[in-house]
Amino acid sequence: MARIALDAFGSDNAPYEETQGALLFVKKTNHTVILVGDEEKLKTLVPEGTERVEIFHAPKRFGMSQKPTEILRMKDSSLAASAQLVKEGKADGFVSAGNTGAILVCGTFIVGRIKGVERPAIATTIPSVKGGTVLIDSGANASLKPQNYPQIAVMGLAYAKAVLGRKDPKCGLLNVGSEPEKGNDTVKEAYAFMKEKLGDAFVGNVEGRDICMGDVDVVVSDGFSGNIALKTLEGVGAFFSKSLKDSIKKSNIFQKIGALMMKGTFNSFKESFDYRKYGGAFLLGVNGTVVKAHGSSDEVAIYNALRVASQGVKNHILDRINEGI
């Protein structure tokens, strides 16, 4: 069974949400959670005698506004200590809803990169008509060299197999058009590298509108463009939800009755865009399972972040990436 370290002081509402998410996780699974943070505070939130929940004392909290590289000097912070547990083999992976940049630094310089990996990348599951599309990189690398793209694609394909359960995943290159000659020089060179290295797994260029359509399992991008695409999709989802609520409020009584009858359908639709369901984003290319949860995560999101982290361990995502590299 997996042992997952959880940075208990990462989220906006830490440590309550982390603790509750961990308790829910061990209740529903056979895995173990190591809560990392101020021991005295955590003891007040964990019922005595709770099985498969351990506490590792790390008194300091790394702030959201701190410079990411400062984490390397804060070894007694809950975030750095979580990464150190993975490096020492005392945990199979760690989850944090803290500072994204600091998580990248911890993954790269404390946990360490997989041999042969040049650029670790963030893989985020985007809701799609197929159940989910992997967007990689969604924020780790602002720019990439053309030769980096195939390696990042390999990591995304491994993720699609291990976490999403895709047997023969396909990937596409995010671009401004589907034709091979579209895009800037970097993307056009990346296209050639991906076609040569990935074979049938590479289907060519895809556009932003294709991410949610599920025509490919993995969309490959540099972190700058990928993060813009991610935030745009999040904004569109929020806009649609608010617009629908506002329209219902302004409707007449008969329309409101109709909306009430459709409440179940609306809730199912809303759930498909709920970030809590997907848990978090994987940092791929490092020697351990590292999952970045949303800063505003509640106990449900923390539970799901722990769940997908355990899936990554159970389905040997590191081995799949090593094989691909």
Side-chain angles (χ1 to χ4, degrees):
M1 296 295 104
R3 290 172 56 83
I4 308 297
L6 174 61
D7 171 11
F9 285 80
S11 78
D12 298 338
N13 299 306
Y16 180 80
E17 300 297 348
E18 278 87 346
T19 307
Q20 296 306 303
L23 294 174
L24 180 62
F25 178 71
V26 297
K27 182 179 179 181
K28 292 188 175 185
T29 72
N30 295 321
H31 305 298
T32 296
V33 176
I34 307 169
L35 288 171
V36 184
D38 188 297
E39 186 176 17
E40 291 303 314
K41 292 181 180 178
L42 292 174
K43 280 183 176 179
T44 65
L45 295 170
V46 179
E48 188 174 346
T50 301
E51 296 183 353
R52 289 178 288 104
V53 174
E54 304 172 10
I55 295 176
F56 185 90
H57 183 56
K60 293 185 180 179
R61 179 176 185 174
F62 193 80
M64 290 288 190
S65 60
Q66 288 183 255
K67 187 178 180 181
T69 52
E70 291 178 6
I71 191 68
L72 297 176
R73 296 194 299 271
M74 290 182 63
K75 296 181 180 181
D76 55 351
S77 67
S78 57
L79 176 51
S82 297
Q84 188 65 32
L85 287 172
V86 178
K87 181 178 181 178
E88 295 174 0
K90 297 175 181 177
D92 299 302
F94 81 86
V95 172
S96 176
N99 184 308
T100 301
I103 293 171
L104 293 175
V105 171
C106 285
T108 303
F109 296 103
I110 297 179
V111 177
R113 289 181 292 178
I114 293 174
K115 185 177 181 180
V117 171
E118 293 185 13
R119 296 289 189 93
I122 295 176
T124 302
T125 302
I126 304 296
S128 76
V129 296
K130 195 176 179 179
T133 298
V134 181
L135 176 62
I136 183 171
D137 181 14
S138 58
N141 303 284
S143 63
L144 294 170
K145 297 177 181 177
Q147 58 267 34
N148 295 144
Y149 284 79
Q151 191 175 82
I152 286 178
V154 166
M155 295 192 291
L157 292 167
Y159 175 96
K161 290 178 181 178
V163 179
L164 300 185
R166 307 289 163 78
K167 292 183 179 180
D168 186 26
K170 306 295 182 183
C171 70
L173 175 63
L174 186 64
N175 205 338
V176 295
S178 59
E179 298 83 2
E181 64 273 9
K182 287 292 182 70
N184 57 33
D185 291 340
T186 298
V187 174
K188 284 188 281 189
E189 288 184 52
Y191 182 101
F193 276 111
M194 293 179 72
K195 186 176 181 180
E196 176 189 354
K197 301 288 186 181
L198 301 174
D200 292 340
F202 178 56
V203 302
N205 288 329
V206 295
E207 299 178 63
R209 62 187 177 187
D210 298 317
I211 297 174
C212 294
M213 296 309 297
D215 294 329
V216 293
D217 303 284
V218 179
V219 173
V220 182
S221 169
D222 63 79
F224 182 83
S225 303
N227 193 259
I228 290 175
L230 173 64
K231 297 297 173 60
T232 300
L233 290 169
E234 288 178 350
V236 169
F239 167 75
F240 185 88
S241 178
K242 186 178 186 307
S243 297
L244 183 60
K245 288 179 181 179
D246 291 343
S247 296
I248 291 173
K249 288 179 181 179
K250 296 175 182 177
S251 62
N252 60 44
I253 185 64
F254 297 106
Q255 291 170 324
K256 287 180 179 178
I257 292 173
L260 183 62
M261 295 175 67
M262 291 286 289
K263 185 177 180 180
T265 301
F266 290 149
N267 286 340
S268 296
F269 179 80
K270 181 180 178 182
E271 183 181 347
S272 68
F273 285 92
D274 189 350
Y275 75 87
R276 299 180 305 167
K277 175 182 176 182
Y278 298 95
F282 273 74
L283 175 61
L284 301 180
V286 297
N287 276 308
T289 299
V290 178
V291 174
K292 165 68 175 81
H294 204 286
S296 60
S297 291
D298 60 9
E299 64 179 87
V300 175
I302 295 296
Y303 161 79
N304 280 313
L306 291 166
R307 176 182 57 79
V308 297
S310 67
Q311 284 180 335
V313 174
K314 178 183 177 182
N315 295 323
H316 307 289
I317 190 169
L318 295 184
D319 293 338
R320 292 177 184 269
I321 291 173
N322 271 311
E323 290 170 6
I325 298 299

